[in-house]
Amino acid sequence: GDPDDDPLLFTVLISYDEGQTHDVIGVNLNQTEFLYDLSQIRGGANCRVRVIATDGMNTTFADSPSFSIQSRPPSVVILSPQDRGTFGGGSMVVLEAVATDPEDGNLPDSSIHWRSDRTGSLGDGKMVSVDNLSLGEHVITVTVTDSDGNSSSESVTIRVVDVVVTPIAEAGEQQTVNEGESMMLDGTESIDPN
């Protein structure tokens, strides 16, 4: 407590480097207890918490002993291709993902690996273009690995078909029709080559 009974306000900081730098995790707190969800912060081996207390005139702080927080796995989201997408054989398929890690931030291309369950390795990077997928259904998986060796994956399923050709609609021969008359349309020449 404060000797002259002024109300105290607390700020809570966390450090991942033995107290050399700090991130704020609580500010203007008026309680002497503070619960914080550690899953919201990155992991590290040399963590410390600093509590700063002030009564508006005087300020003091205390640091915790060093402790470790288990590092978190990276996260990855596939932006392209869309799940259940269909592509023509030999056409370019763009593979794109966003990969981040609580400790490392945005992961470099060398940490992002693409694979097809049918074709095998497709390449590394946030964006990879492939045109050699075999015909059939493919489970495309991107796996990201952070500097601590933690990894995460996400998958989509796509189909590669022989050739995608747009259906052709035919309405029959050209006709001239006067107002009030009926017109006959003949769609028997329409085709769907797929």
Side-chain angles (χ1 to χ4, degrees):
D2 184 56
D4 53 3
D5 288 328
D6 291 331
L8 294 175
L9 289 178
F10 302 95
T11 299
V12 181
L13 310 172
I14 189 157
S15 172
Y16 305 99
D17 55 13
E18 290 287 346
Q20 294 177 34
T21 61
H22 294 87
D23 292 339
V24 177
I25 60 173
V27 65
N28 291 331
L29 305 170
N30 58 9
Q31 302 293 315
T32 57
E33 293 183 11
F34 176 62
L35 294 176
Y36 192 76
D37 181 2
L38 293 181
S39 70
Q40 302 300 310
I41 59 175
R42 62 186 191 180
N46 301 306
C47 300
R48 287 183 185 267
V49 170
R50 173 172 285 176
V51 177
I52 302 170
T54 184
D55 65 4
M57 288 291 283
N58 299 302
T59 301
T60 188
F61 70 90
D63 289 334
S64 73
S66 184
F67 61 94
S68 64
I69 299 173
Q70 183 175 358
S71 66
R72 310 279 185 251
S75 64
V76 62
V77 175
I78 294 176
L79 302 177
S80 172
Q82 296 295 313
D83 195 33
R84 299 287 170 202
T86 300
F87 299 87
S91 65
M92 189 66 64
V93 179
V94 176
L95 313 175
E96 185 176 8
V98 174
T100 59
D101 181 70
E103 292 82 26
D104 299 338
N106 290 329
L107 294 174
D109 284 351
S110 60
S111 298
I112 304 168
H113 182 72
W114 293 91
R115 178 170 191 75
S116 161
D117 66 328
R118 293 177 62 100
T119 305
S121 180
L122 300 174
D124 295 332
K126 294 175 192 74
M127 185 179 291
V128 173
S129 297
V130 293
D131 61 2
N132 63 340
L133 295 175
S134 60
L135 298 180
E137 188 171 274
H138 291 257
V139 177
I140 305 293
T141 302
V142 61
T143 301
V144 297
T145 306
D146 67 16
S147 64
D148 295 321
N150 298 317
S151 63
S152 295
S153 298
E154 183 169 302
S155 298
V156 294
T157 301
I158 65 169
R159 268 185 22 174
V160 178
V161 296
D162 195 3
V163 176
V164 177
V165 179
T166 304
I168 300 170
E170 290 289 338
E173 295 182 24
Q174 184 171 346
Q175 303 175 39
T176 303
V177 180
N178 294 320
E179 187 176 337
E181 294 180 350
S182 297
M183 178 171 56
M184 173 69 96
L185 300 176
D186 180 3
T188 57
E189 296 298 316
S190 297
I191 60 169
D192 183 358
N194 297 310

